[in-house]
Amino acid sequence: MNTVFNKLRNLDSYPKVNEDFYSRTLSGGIITLLSSLAILLLVFSEFTLYIHTVTETKLLVDTSRGETFHINFDVTFPAIPCTLLSVDTMDISGEQHHDIKHDIIKKRINAHGDVIESRPDTIGAPKIEKPLQRHGGRLEKNETYCGSCFGAEQSDDDCCNSCEEVREAYRRKGWAMTNADLIDQCKREGFFERIKEEDGEGCNIHGSLEVNRVAGNFHFAAGKSFHQSSFFFDDLISFQDSYNISHRINRLAFGEYFPGAVNPLDGGQWTHKTSNGMYQYFIKVVPTIYTDIRGRTVNSNQVTFREEHISFLHFITNICAVIGGIFTVAGIIDSFVYHGQRKIKKAEVGKFR
């Protein structure tokens, strides 16, 4: 057994020196104190990094097809009434949506920015008894409603049963609605009364759109928009032939929120000093997968982010490197100081003699 212990003693890489041969110096004590403080600070720093998560960013090729995502927006137009403001989308697949009303809230605001009324955008027109028929009479009890297009019909079977359908028929013809006050559908729906009531007001519009994950555009149109030859135009109706499109983007986000998400247009404000005009924003949206430290995933749109902890073994390795490195450097410094002091003392003794 003693032989085994002796062999183990011979393997000792840290031979001990008898205390009688130690030489302790003031400089050595100062260096030891400073190195100990440095070790404490660096160990604390490494521990702080270990307990906090780090975010790894990764770029991947998006191979998904046929998926959709949400656009969340909150935009204020100080000089456009809510009744005239509409939202439209189109994409390269040919899908188009005009005057979108689902999941959209409009807030009427006055000149000072105070909210007058908040309401969800509605679909359809109010039901009014006995509307004007295409043949000129009023709707009878057993008669199917077929409103007049007021000369803009494309065929004998065309019916315009709402103010928007009349306006769309006029747009197809390229006519201006100079006889707006005579259109029965618009009068029944109270369209022009709402325009007059909201004169001088602005509108805050917020909500979300679900769009295909392909190239496309969405826009806010002053007046009802229509599509022709792959471009959007505004129907500037007769009672108001110019618009101040000044606006403030309170929020414009693509997909779900995740920590660290950056929406570059948030807080942007642009003032248009002349009537009529258009602002265009060109944005590249990158699909994003965010995975937190618990493995929960958020599908959004930027790049791939993943929360991770530094591994425990990596943490221990860093601690050992800190302690060993500082002791080594401190030993080198102490050696230079000690031998330097001895040489200086020897030189002084030689001069004295």
Side-chain angles (χ1 to χ4, degrees):
M1 195 69 176
N2 290 332
T3 304
V4 175
F5 289 155
N6 288 332
K7 288 183 178 180
L8 288 175
R9 289 191 187 95
N10 292 332
L11 293 176
D12 186 2
S13 299
Y14 309 98
K16 311 303 183 290
V17 180
N18 194 301
E19 291 186 1
D20 294 336
F21 298 100
Y22 286 162
S23 177
R24 301 182 185 278
T25 63
L26 176 62
S27 61
I30 294 174
I31 293 173
T32 300
L33 180 61
L34 293 176
S35 61
S36 299
L37 290 174
I39 288 173
L40 288 175
L41 289 174
L42 292 178
V43 168
F44 179 76
S45 175
E46 287 292 333
F47 180 73
T48 303
L49 290 175
Y50 172 69
I51 62 175
H52 284 80
T53 59
V54 294
T55 303
E56 178 191 2
T57 305
K58 189 182 298 181
L59 289 176
L60 303 172
V61 177
D62 181 21
T63 58
S64 60
R65 294 290 183 273
E67 296 185 7
T68 62
F69 69 95
H70 282 83
I71 301 174
N72 304 299
F73 61 86
D74 183 347
V75 185
T76 300
F77 294 86
I80 300 180
C82 286
T83 299
L84 293 179
L85 198 59
S86 65
V87 184
D88 311 283
T89 66
M90 68 171 294
D91 58 49
I92 59 172
S93 68
E95 187 168 329
Q96 305 168 23
H97 298 278
H98 309 298
D99 195 15
I100 300 171
K101 299 181 183 297
H102 293 288
D103 300 320
I104 291 178
I105 303 294
K106 291 180 178 179
K107 295 179 181 179
R108 294 169 55 192
I109 57 176
N110 60 23
H112 303 289
D114 301 322
V115 176
I116 301 172
E117 178 189 18
S118 178
R119 65 170 186 260
D121 217 353
T122 54
I123 301 174
K127 294 182 178 180
I128 305 296
E129 294 297 328
K130 294 189 175 182
L132 185 66
Q133 287 283 61
R134 180 178 172 183
H135 53 63
R138 292 291 172 179
L139 181 66
E140 298 298 332
K141 184 175 181 180
N142 297 322
E143 192 176 13
T144 301
Y145 178 46
C146 179
S148 172
C149 295
F150 298 89
E153 297 89 348
Q154 290 185 324
S155 68
D156 293 339
D157 298 326
D158 281 353
C159 298
C160 294
N161 296 340
S162 68
C163 182
E164 176 58 27
E165 290 181 6
V166 176
R167 295 171 61 198
E168 182 63 33
Y170 269 55
R171 285 193 289 266
R172 289 195 297 263
K173 288 283 189 178
W175 297 352
M177 291 184 65
T178 56
N179 59 340
D181 291 335
L182 302 178
I183 296 175
D184 181 65
Q185 292 90 326
C186 296
K187 289 194 296 183
R188 287 189 293 106
E189 294 173 15
F191 183 78
F192 300 107
E193 285 73 13
R194 292 200 304 271
I195 295 297
K196 293 176 182 177
E197 181 185 356
E198 297 177 10
D199 185 38
E201 295 180 2
C203 186
N204 170 261
I205 181 169
H206 68 274
S208 65
L209 303 170
E210 185 174 6
V211 297
N212 296 320
R213 281 176 54 173
V214 296
N217 73 72
F218 74 98
H219 68 274
F220 303 95
K224 304 297 182 181
S225 67
F226 68 101
H227 178 262
Q228 178 178 332
S229 302
S230 301
F231 294 97
F232 281 105
F233 299 90
D234 289 337
D235 171 26
L236 305 181
I237 51 184
S238 60
F239 51 81
Q240 185 171 350
D241 57 3
S242 62
Y243 298 92
N244 183 333
I245 58 171
S246 299
H247 60 282
R248 181 176 66 255
I249 300 176
N250 305 309
R251 181 170 181 257
L252 181 59
F254 297 84
E256 300 299 324
Y257 170 79
F258 61 90
V262 177
N263 303 316
L265 292 178
D266 284 6
Q269 183 168 343
W270 289 265
T271 302
H272 203 68
K273 296 183 179 179
T274 60
S275 298
N276 295 332
M278 177 174 61
Y279 280 93
Q280 298 185 68
Y281 304 95
F282 298 92
I283 304 173
K284 287 190 175 181
V285 182
V286 181
T288 296
I289 301 173
Y290 185 91
T291 306
D292 65 17
I293 197 65
R294 299 179 181 177
R296 293 178 297 189
T297 299
V298 177
N299 290 301
S300 191
N301 292 274
Q302 280 190 351
V303 291
T304 296
F305 294 91
R306 184 180 181 88
E307 282 188 349
E308 293 182 342
H309 270 308
I310 297 175
S311 69
F312 181 73
L313 291 179
H314 185 70
F315 168 67
I316 294 298
T317 302
N318 287 348
I319 294 298
C320 292
V322 166
I323 296 174
I326 289 181
F327 266 118
T328 301
V329 172
I332 294 172
I333 294 173
D334 180 63
S335 178
F336 276 118
V337 172
Y338 176 72
H339 290 292
Q341 287 177 340
R342 291 191 62 184
K343 287 183 179 181
I344 292 172
K345 286 181 180 180
K346 286 182 179 179
E348 290 178 350
V349 170
K351 287 180 181 179
F352 178 78
R353 288 179 182 177

